[in-house]
Amino acid sequence: MFLYMSAVAALYGCNSGNSEKSDASGQKDKGNIGKVIYGTLPDGAEADLYTLRNANGMTIRITNYGGIITSWTAPDKTGKYEDITLGCDSLSDYLKGVPYFGALVGRYGNRIANGKFTLNGQAYTLAQNNGPNSLHGGIKGFDKVLWQAIAVDGEEPQLKLRYVSADEEEGFPGTLTTDVTYTLQKDNALSIDYTATTDKPTVVNLTNHAYFNLSGDMNKTVLDHEVAIKADRFLPVDETLIPTGELKPVAGTVFDFTKFKKISEGINADDQQIKFGGGYDHCWVFADNSNSLKEVASVFEPGSGRVMTVSTTEPAIQFYTGNFLDGTVTGKGGVSYAHRTGFCLETEHYPDSPNQPKFPSTVLQPGETYRTTTVYKFSVKQD
Ligand code: GLA
């Protein structure tokens, strides 16, 4: 059995190079994974910051507070590695409250209508932390808890995180044990593997909420990015962003991303769904509804040549274009994140599934293992 340690990271195995390295944060360590103290939480617990590197030069920093990806470098068409994620410079900045930058989201990613659902005849009440609805697991969701961590060195370094959520935490039934493994692959992909088990029937929908701006310049919007999503239907929502229950064909609508399209093309359309979302903030349902790992979305940023592809075992994806960013949150390097300076592709089951029996079930039973994988892979397209 694994011993999960938050204070001391076990470094297993050794990278063939085994040379001592130091990086911008002054961190010195051996191999492809390092760890420094990130800061202290209000309850006195210490959070750590891990750095995962691969031989190409990709560097991903992740803290065990919220499982947050704080930075992630990817090469442009000239080979220059730049940070392509939104986030904060310090733990204290994350603690001030930011909109889920890079965080693990649970127990239930996305919305549950009116913060209520019924399971096996029992009614459950959750925090209404987003208008009338419950969003992203509630007030102190998985993005705001300290995860136990094990760092595993190797050619493809891993950070293994565990969080045990108590029965009734944030209103959800069952003790839920969640394991998330981040693996930085040698092909410039980050794989995120999630498993969870419960001791009572419950609902689960886990995701990661990284915001990307592939230009590497967070002073720019993402409107020029070109997006393709292998989805033939999307979920129309009401004015509080709860799905109406309809699975609407994207054909003939501004939600059609079956071919690459600039985000700017439809984001300001005179369309009721776009108005409800303040832009794109909807769930797309994949044409391939198998639970195998399949490529579901790609994003291309013409200036840098960066391409990001998303593969997942999930049936759907929330494409959110940073419509709630309004310059009030200051991010890394003192940059104010203006409207639409980042986009998210959150792989998931459909929002509000616990209240919508026609949607694929998000119920997890004792004895079952919830299991899902999402891979974000970077490459470049030359002109
Ligand atoms: C999700 C939601 C958005 C917004 C962001 C966080 O992606 O769908 O409406 O709440 O999280 O700001």
Side-chain angles (χ1 to χ4, degrees):
M1 189 186 134
F2 273 143
L3 269 181
Y4 276 79
M5 292 171 280
S6 54
V8 183
L11 292 170
Y12 292 113
C14 249
N15 181 34
S16 49
N18 204 25
S19 59
E20 190 166 277
K21 298 171 183 170
S22 76
D23 62 22
S25 69
Q27 158 166 282
K28 283 196 176 62
D29 43 56
K30 293 184 164 114
N32 287 326
I33 191 155
K35 177 191 156 197
V36 290
I37 295 169
Y38 197 38
T40 306
L41 298 169
D43 67 0
E46 200 169 80
D48 295 316
L49 184 67
Y50 295 84
T51 302
L52 283 65
R53 294 175 278 262
N54 70 10
N56 305 325
M58 181 169 277
T59 301
I60 303 180
R61 293 211 166 90
I62 304 169
T63 170
N64 59 335
Y65 173 72
I68 296 170
I69 299 170
T70 65
S71 68
W72 186 342
T73 68
D76 70 3
K77 59 190 170 191
T78 70
K80 186 175 169 204
Y81 277 76
E82 287 176 306
D83 189 1
I84 45 71
T85 54
L86 277 60
C88 301
D89 276 330
S90 67
L91 179 64
S92 55
D93 287 343
Y94 283 104
L95 294 174
K96 285 178 195 155
V98 293
Y100 307 94
F101 291 150
L104 292 177
V105 169
R107 295 185 186 190
Y108 199 95
N110 218 310
R111 293 172 175 80
I112 295 178
N114 300 310
K116 290 191 190 322
F117 69 96
T118 300
L119 185 59
N120 299 334
Q122 169 96 37
Y124 294 95
T125 302
L126 313 169
Q128 292 167 293
N129 61 333
N130 185 252
N133 304 318
S134 174
L135 177 69
H136 293 334
I139 291 166
K140 194 174 180 197
F142 288 5
D143 59 299
K144 295 183 188 69
V145 299
L146 191 64
W147 295 64
Q148 297 168 290
I150 290 183
V152 184
D153 191 18
E155 191 181 12
E156 300 196 322
Q158 295 187 311
L159 184 65
K160 292 176 174 280
L161 299 175
R162 170 171 287 184
Y163 180 66
V164 182
S165 173
D167 185 21
E168 297 295 324
E169 189 170 311
E170 290 295 326
F172 291 96
T175 309
L176 190 77
T177 301
T178 300
D179 288 295
V180 177
T181 300
Y182 285 109
T183 306
L184 173 53
Q185 300 179 178
K186 54 190 177 188
D187 60 354
N188 280 357
L190 179 71
S191 167
I192 315 176
D193 295 285
Y194 308 75
T195 62
T197 54
T198 183
D199 62 0
K200 283 185 189 161
T202 192
V203 294
V204 188
N205 194 26
L206 305 177
T207 193
N208 178 280
H209 207 298
Y211 288 65
F212 299 96
N213 184 324
L214 302 188
S215 76
D217 180 354
M218 306 309 164
N219 290 298
K220 288 185 180 161
T221 72
V222 292
L223 296 178
D224 277 351
H225 287 49
E226 297 172 20
V227 174
I229 305 175
K230 292 184 179 172
D232 51 4
R233 290 169 299 171
F234 78 105
L235 303 179
V237 289
D238 68 15
E239 65 278 10
T240 73
L241 301 183
I242 292 294
T244 60
E246 182 192 4
L247 274 73
K248 188 170 176 174
V250 296
T253 77
V254 293
F255 293 85
D256 189 350
F257 283 94
T258 51
K259 297 197 183 76
F260 276 98
K261 186 169 81 180
K262 277 197 190 299
I263 293 176
S264 59
E265 266 187 51
I267 199 169
N268 292 318
D270 185 14
D271 174 286
Q272 191 191 47
Q273 283 300 310
I274 288 286
K275 286 185 184 145
F276 284 163
Y280 293 113
D281 192 356
H282 295 77
C283 187
W284 273 253
V285 175
F286 306 131
D288 176 352
N289 64 4
S290 70
N291 60 3
S292 58
L293 188 65
K294 65 244 174 221
E295 190 179 306
V296 293
S298 294
V299 184
F300 169 59
E301 198 278 307
S304 64
R306 288 191 182 94
V307 177
M308 183 180 83
T309 59
V310 185
S311 302
T312 189
T313 57
E314 285 299 296
I317 202 163
Q318 184 85 4
F319 175 43
Y320 167 60
T321 45
N323 311 309
F324 293 115
L325 297 175
D326 59 4
T328 53
V329 175
T330 302
K332 287 176 272 189
V335 175
S336 296
Y337 292 142
H339 197 213
R340 299 174 176 162
T341 49
F343 70 88
C344 304
L345 283 166
E346 305 153 55
T347 54
E348 61 186 19
H349 270 58
Y350 309 176
D352 198 33
S353 297
N355 292 309
Q356 307 223 19
K358 289 190 180 146
F359 287 176
S361 173
T362 52
V363 174
L364 182 69
Q365 303 286 354
E368 293 177 346
T369 301
Y370 168 97
R371 203 179 290 281
T372 183
T373 295
T374 292
V375 180
Y376 296 95
K377 183 174 187 313
F378 288 86
S379 58
V380 289
K381 198 163 94 180
Q382 300 293 344
D383 296 325

